[in-house]
Amino acid sequence: MPDTFIQYYKDKGIESLYPPQNECIEKGLLKGADLLVAIPTASGKTLIAEMAMHAAIARGGRSLYIVPLKALATEKAHEFAGKGATIGVATGDYDQKEKRLGANDIVIATSEKVDSLLRNGAPWLSQVTCLVVDEVHLIDDENRGPTLEMVITKLRHASPDMQVIGLSATIGNPKELAGWLGAELITSDWRPVDLREGICYRNTIYFDDEDKEIPAPAKTEDINLLLDCVAEGGQCLVFVSSRRNAEGYAKRAAAALKCDHAVLDSIAEKLEAAAETDMGRVLAACVRNGAAFHHAGMNRMQRTLVEEGFRTGFIKSISSTPTLAAGLNLPARRVIIRDYLRYSGGEGMRPIPVREYRQMAGRAGRPHLDPYGEAILIAKAEYAVNDLHEEYVEAPDEDVTSRCGEKGVLTAHILSLIATGYAHSHDELMTFLEKTLYAYQHTGKKALTRTLDDALVFLTEAEMITDLSGMLDATEYGDLTSRLYIDPHSAEIITTALREEGELTDLALLQLLCMTPDMFTLYVKKNDLGTLEKFFYEHEEEFRTEFSYDEMEDFFRSLKTAMLLSDWTDEIGDETICTRFGVGPGDIFNAVQGIGWLLHASGRLARLVGPEHRDAIEETTLRVRHGIRRELIPLVRVKGIGRVRARRLFTNGITGPELLAAADPSVVGKIVGGRTAESIIRAAKAVRRGTGRRDIASERMTARA
Ligand code: ADP
């Protein structure tokens, strides 16, 4: 290992390796061996990955590190920095080539990003000699799993000598997964600190070996568990189901803890000084009393201050959403898993998988500091004590199963294999697909052949591919669809509508895009139906989608989501939207992001099949991006003007760039503040000159992941 790397860890006080890390080295980690490392949370997987990557770089190679979430890419980049290797993060839109990226020793990206880079032909990918897949068990994820599986398969197909390191939480079928990867398997139940798991009901913790009653000064046990742990000199991580709950818990914890310390005051002051929103001010107030929350809606500075305050022991509790469990490397004496149900993409509340429970529980116990760690689930009823014990504490790890067999899933990937030249014939596609986990888990070629044939029929009929006596090739349309990174079924829905004559209204376009398989749509409740039907009949003439009885639910979901987006573009406030549709602010954000990508794709497809719709699509794109009515479109074309400023200017009579460019700065200053006034007037003048029109294409919203 390079000296800088070794020194970095020595300075951090890490002098020797954990047993699973040693085992990896013995099995060839530094010599290019393929490994599947399926070991518990907190047992040091990151260091394993780093050792493999630095060893590969020392041999003159490059490394690619696949992360499960976009937000984790930057986190990892910070974690990897300062150890002698150059780090690049692949972010941004899925259809952009990123040339300079490949100059880095280590590139960090999500699987969707890598897939898109492969489709767009990024040349440096073929120089990757070490591939690390973090959380490789996510192959099992019903939405994102197939892409991860295909990306691993493609990369290995292109570079058979590449070292592959799969990192995973403990899983039920590690041998099978290792078999597929052709990798040596490292499993272990070793962990740096002992873990005690228990269920709390009415202020009693039921452990395996004892029942422990805790003092109950507060009304709720989630706070009593915290106070009990703090009284014994520990700290707590508390996992709850949503950002709002994380903030709510921190407020209650702050009121109960009432810590008073100069260090807390100083962290709180820093947070206060930088606070731009209510959330920032609430965080500061909580931290002053020793409690904090942690979620993806916070900025880096806020998160770092909270993490530091917790590491140094002054902040006593952090409440967080479970999705953050993966990235939150902050061990605590006690982990409280308060909400084991989670709101899942419009499907209502669902129990979290055992794997996620283990990930959270595994954060319990600080090495060398705590005698043991405790993971405690809170039961909401007495019978749940036993149930939770069985369903989580005692439950076997879940198997990792390929999701590629699900209907339609492989079509997009098969198109991209043809479009990018990975495969030119039925046989070549088969040879490729036989290398997937799906094929590994389904012996016998029948299922695979059928899936492939179905996909080829669809792609040929859609004119995305041509078949010239067995030689498969992508058409311009097929190639574009593959590069746009949308499902071929989505592309078909969009282009069919674009080819029709007549006006395509904003609402019709939104509803149409909400019918595509790429769009996340809202769950329809029984009592939504009345409103939805009424809305449907009011706008029946506009809609372009036809649906069969079987697709009724999909249609209503698309309608509800389009209605939400339509409210959003009518400048209806977030709170009203949340109440009207029974959703959270995160759902609005997701809908806006998701549709943003599809609108971008529609704009590109329109160039090919319906150029007369391009302007309308561009306008809808702007309206959705900013959440504005049509009348504000001219104003948001000026750099520095968004939803709020545009509305203020408009209300004050400045209705477009022309008027803004000619306006008196002091008048504009009264509306938007002096500094902003100067810069937006300058920008408006540029628009008038025709040089400053916002480049929509370069500002596209990114979707998914
Ligand atoms: P995982 O990815 O397995 O959940 P991490 O890689 O995040 O675990 O490691 C958990 C913690 O253990 C990190 O703070 C890391 O710095 C620390 N750690 C890793 N290896 C060692 C080691 N050999 N000695 C001491 N601490 C270590």
Side-chain angles (χ1 to χ4, degrees):
M1 303 301 304
D3 289 342
T4 344
F5 184 82
I6 295 174
Q7 198 54 44
Y8 179 94
Y9 275 104
K10 280 200 171 150
D11 291 347
K12 266 188 74 178
I14 294 182
E15 299 268 350
S16 61
L17 295 178
Y18 284 161
Q21 295 169 337
N22 268 323
E23 198 186 332
C24 288
I25 302 222
E26 280 158 19
K27 295 213 164 134
L29 181 79
L30 307 182
K31 293 182 183 150
D34 299 330
L35 303 179
L36 172 67
V37 187
I39 57 177
T41 303
S43 50
K45 288 191 276 292
T46 311
L47 181 53
I48 295 175
E50 285 190 293
M51 289 193 289
M53 294 193 294
H54 281 262
I57 296 161
R59 291 194 301 269
R62 286 184 202 293
S63 299
L64 174 64
Y65 188 98
I66 298 186
V67 281
L69 288 172
K70 221 176 189 179
L72 286 180
T74 24
E75 295 291 319
K76 281 288 167 200
H78 279 273
E79 202 174 337
F80 292 165
K83 299 170 195 171
T86 54
I87 320 279
V89 179
T91 49
D93 293 337
Y94 292 111
D95 63 348
Q96 303 270 304
K97 282 188 203 175
E98 295 187 36
K99 293 199 188 78
R100 273 166 300 152
L101 202 58
N104 291 294
D105 297 325
I106 301 176
V107 175
I108 308 172
T110 60
S111 50
E112 285 77 11
K113 181 70 204 183
V114 177
D115 194 14
S116 152
L117 287 166
L118 283 166
R119 291 181 190 200
N120 286 284
W124 56 269
L125 276 169
S126 60
Q127 294 158 17
V128 171
T129 54
C130 174
L131 169 69
V132 180
V133 186
D134 195 2
E135 317 270 356
V136 64
H137 53 263
L138 288 174
I139 284 186
D140 194 58
D141 186 280
E142 64 181 314
N143 298 315
R144 305 186 44 216
T147 302
L148 181 57
E149 182 179 337
M150 293 306 283
V151 160
I152 298 172
T153 313
K154 278 188 199 171
L155 288 167
R156 303 188 77 204
H157 182 77
S159 320
D161 295 333
M162 182 180 64
Q163 178 182 21
V164 180
I165 307 290
L167 304 176
S168 163
T170 48
I171 52 175
N173 57 342
K175 274 197 190 131
E176 191 178 30
L177 197 59
W180 171 57
L181 288 170
E184 283 268 7
L185 174 63
I186 285 110
T187 50
S188 159
D189 51 16
W190 180 90
R191 49 174 78 244
V193 198
D194 282 342
L195 179 65
R196 301 186 70 201
E197 291 165 276
I199 319 287
C200 181
Y201 178 65
R202 295 222 169 134
N203 299 306
T204 299
I205 310 175
Y206 298 89
F207 288 109
D208 251 356
D209 50 353
E210 61 162 344
D211 300 345
K212 184 186 170 196
E213 207 174 313
I214 56 165
K219 274 196 224 115
T220 54
E221 53 220 325
D222 58 357
I223 296 293
N224 290 332
L225 281 168
L226 166 66
L227 296 176
D228 173 56
C229 178
V230 172
E232 289 180 8
Q235 294 165 286
C236 287
L237 275 181
V238 187
F239 289 107
V240 297
S241 58
S242 67
R243 290 182 189 183
R244 197 157 40 153
N245 285 340
E247 291 176 22
Y249 183 89
K251 283 192 219 165
R252 289 191 293 120
L257 285 166
K258 291 200 199 72
C259 299
D260 181 14
H261 198 285
V263 173
L264 288 173
D265 289 340
S266 105
I267 306 176
E269 272 151 32
K270 281 184 204 154
L271 286 167
E272 224 154 46
E276 285 173 354
T277 59
D278 274 350
M279 188 264 287
R281 285 181 281 276
V282 170
L283 180 64
C286 290
V287 166
R288 199 178 283 284
N289 290 291
F293 50 87
H294 196 289
H295 58 57
M298 289 158 56
N299 63 32
R300 165 158 290 279
M301 190 274 255
Q302 291 168 324
R303 275 187 274 166
T304 311
L305 282 171
V306 167
E307 287 165 17
E308 271 315 299
F310 193 79
R311 270 202 193 98
T312 46
F314 293 102
I315 293 178
K316 299 296 178 195
S317 82
I318 293 186
S319 36
S320 151
T321 51
T323 29
L324 227 75
L328 193 66
N329 188 7
L330 280 176
R333 166 93 51 97
R334 183 174 279 174
V335 166
I336 303 171
I337 296 141
R338 199 197 67 180
D339 302 339
Y340 48 84
L341 295 176
R342 188 180 45 200
Y343 183 75
S344 86
E347 302 290 334
M349 301 299 276
R350 283 224 215 134
I352 55 165
V354 175
R355 192 177 290 138
E356 272 185 40
Y357 162 76
R358 298 254 146 86
Q359 192 150 43
M360 297 188 259
R363 297 286 167 207
R366 292 168 305 161
H368 312 302
L369 293 174
D370 292 323
Y372 51 81
E374 289 175 335
I376 298 172
L377 280 153
I378 299 183
K380 309 248 184 317
E382 197 171 359
Y383 69 85
V385 174
N386 274 333
D387 288 0
L388 289 175
H389 203 83
E390 272 174 32
E391 281 159 27
Y392 288 112
V393 180
E394 295 292 323
D397 291 309
E398 286 132 345
D399 282 356
V400 170
T401 317
S402 169
R403 301 286 187 154
C404 284
E406 272 149 57
K407 198 173 179 297
V409 160
L410 275 183
T411 315
H413 292 291
I414 288 168
L415 173 61
S416 93
L417 289 169
I418 299 169
T420 47
Y422 266 77
H424 305 92
S425 65
H426 191 281
D427 282 356
E428 282 181 22
L429 281 167
M430 249 341 246
T431 311
F432 177 86
L433 292 173
E434 275 165 10
K435 294 185 181 150
T436 58
L437 176 63
Y438 179 72
Y440 193 82
Q441 291 183 324
H442 296 80
T443 39
K445 290 185 182 176
K446 237 185 181 166
L448 200 57
T449 313
R450 201 176 42 231
T451 311
L452 175 58
D453 290 345
D454 286 351
L456 290 178
V457 168
F458 175 87
L459 293 170
T460 317
E461 283 179 357
E463 296 181 9
M464 292 191 193
I465 59 168
T466 52
D467 181 348
L468 272 179
S469 24
M471 178 80 180
L472 302 173
D473 207 354
T475 60
E476 191 184 356
Y477 171 36
D479 189 50
L480 181 61
T481 303
S482 165
R483 279 187 295 110
L484 284 173
Y485 209 72
I486 57 171
D487 190 308
H489 299 90
S490 302
E492 270 299 274
I493 293 177
I494 296 168
T495 52
T496 308
L498 291 180
R499 284 192 178 107
E500 279 174 31
E501 298 203 338
E503 190 200 2
L504 184 60
T505 64
D506 284 352
L507 180 65
L509 179 60
L510 293 176
Q511 187 277 327
L512 181 83
L513 297 182
C514 288
M515 274 303 266
T516 64
D518 281 308
M519 184 63 191
F520 136 93
T521 51
L522 298 170
Y523 182 67
V524 172
K525 300 186 198 90
K526 254 207 191 109
N527 54 5
D528 289 332
L529 285 176
T531 325
L532 289 173
E533 274 170 15
K534 185 164 168 273
F535 186 77
F536 172 67
Y537 287 119
E538 279 166 12
H539 299 273
E540 201 179 352
E541 300 292 306
E542 289 178 48
F543 296 123
R544 293 272 172 113
T545 38
E546 288 183 6
F547 56 94
S548 63
Y549 188 76
D550 286 350
E551 294 164 324
M552 192 80 103
E553 189 188 337
D554 288 345
F555 178 76
F556 277 120
R557 289 179 73 130
S558 74
L559 197 59
K560 182 171 172 183
T561 315
M563 262 175 91
L564 178 145
L565 287 164
S566 164
D567 273 8
W568 163 253
T569 52
D570 258 342
E571 296 176 44
I572 291 175
D574 289 13
E575 271 177 39
T576 314
I577 297 184
C578 289
T579 326
R580 184 177 290 176
F581 295 92
V583 298
D587 295 311
I588 305 181
F589 178 81
N590 283 340
V592 169
Q593 290 278 304
I595 206 86
W597 182 256
L598 286 164
L599 279 165
H600 162 66
S602 309
R604 295 285 301 274
L605 289 167
R607 282 190 214 169
L608 217 60
V609 298
E612 69 279 11
H613 295 296
R614 276 182 63 192
D615 289 345
I617 294 173
E618 197 214 338
E619 286 185 9
T620 316
T621 310
L622 278 173
R623 289 191 58 199
V624 172
R625 177 181 311 145
H626 296 286
I628 51 163
R629 293 202 189 132
R630 188 169 298 282
E631 66 212 26
L632 297 188
I633 291 177
L635 279 171
V636 298
R637 287 196 197 276
V638 179
K639 213 169 145 213
I641 300 186
R643 181 180 209 197
V644 177
R645 285 178 185 158
R647 182 45 66 196
R648 275 199 207 139
L649 291 166
F650 194 92
T651 318
N652 284 284
I654 301 174
T655 53
E658 288 286 332
L659 288 171
L660 179 58
D664 179 346
S666 69
V667 174
V668 181
K670 285 209 185 86
I671 306 170
V672 295
R675 268 249 204 87
T676 312
E678 271 176 42
S679 71
I680 60 174
I681 290 175
R682 223 179 303 126
K685 285 182 179 156
V687 170
R688 196 172 52 180
R689 285 195 304 274
T691 54
R693 195 172 142 121
R694 249 178 175 172
D695 181 2
I696 309 292
S698 71
E699 261 188 46
R700 284 183 307 257
M701 282 183 286
T702 54
R704 299 184 282 190

Coordinates of all heavy atoms in Angstrom, one line a residue, residues 135 180 198 252 355 503 705:
E135 N -22.8 -2.2 -1.3 CA -24.2 -2.7 -1.1 C -24.7 -3.5 -2.3 O -25.8 -3.2 -2.9 CB -25.1 -1.5 -0.9 CG -24.6 -0.4 0.0 CD -25.0 -0.6 1.5 OE1 -25.7 -1.6 1.8 OE2 -24.5 0.1 2.3
W180 N -22.0 -16.6 -8.7 CA -22.2 -15.8 -10.0 C -21.1 -14.9 -10.3 O -20.6 -14.8 -11.4 CB -23.5 -14.9 -9.8 CG -23.7 -14.0 -10.9 CD1 -23.8 -14.2 -12.2 CD2 -23.8 -12.5 -10.7 NE1 -24.0 -13.1 -12.9 CE2 -24.0 -12.0 -12.0 CE3 -23.8 -11.6 -9.7 CZ2 -24.2 -10.6 -12.3 CZ3 -24.0 -10.3 -9.9 CH2 -24.1 -9.8 -11.2
G198 N -32.9 -5.9 21.6 CA -34.1 -6.1 22.4 C -35.3 -5.3 21.9 O -35.2 -4.6 20.9
R252 N -38.5 17.0 20.8 CA -38.9 16.4 22.1 C -37.7 16.0 22.9 O -37.7 16.2 24.1 CB -39.9 15.2 21.9 CG -41.2 15.7 21.3 CD -42.2 14.5 21.4 NE -41.8 13.5 20.4 CZ -41.6 12.2 20.7 NH1 -41.6 11.8 22.0 NH2 -41.2 11.4 19.8
R355 N -32.8 -6.7 6.4 CA -31.5 -6.2 6.0 C -31.3 -4.8 6.5 O -30.3 -4.4 7.0 CB -31.4 -6.2 4.5 CG -30.1 -6.0 3.9 CD -30.1 -6.1 2.4 NE -30.3 -7.5 2.0 CZ -31.1 -7.8 1.0 NH1 -31.9 -6.9 0.4 NH2 -31.3 -9.1 0.6
E503 N -53.6 20.0 -30.6 CA -52.8 20.6 -29.5 C -52.6 19.6 -28.3 O -53.5 18.9 -28.0 CB -53.6 21.8 -28.9 CG -52.8 22.7 -28.0 CD -53.7 23.5 -27.1 OE1 -54.9 23.4 -27.2 OE2 -53.1 24.3 -26.3
A705 N -32.5 8.1 -8.8 CA -31.3 7.8 -8.1 C -31.0 9.0 -7.2 O -30.0 9.7 -7.3 CB -30.2 7.6 -9.0

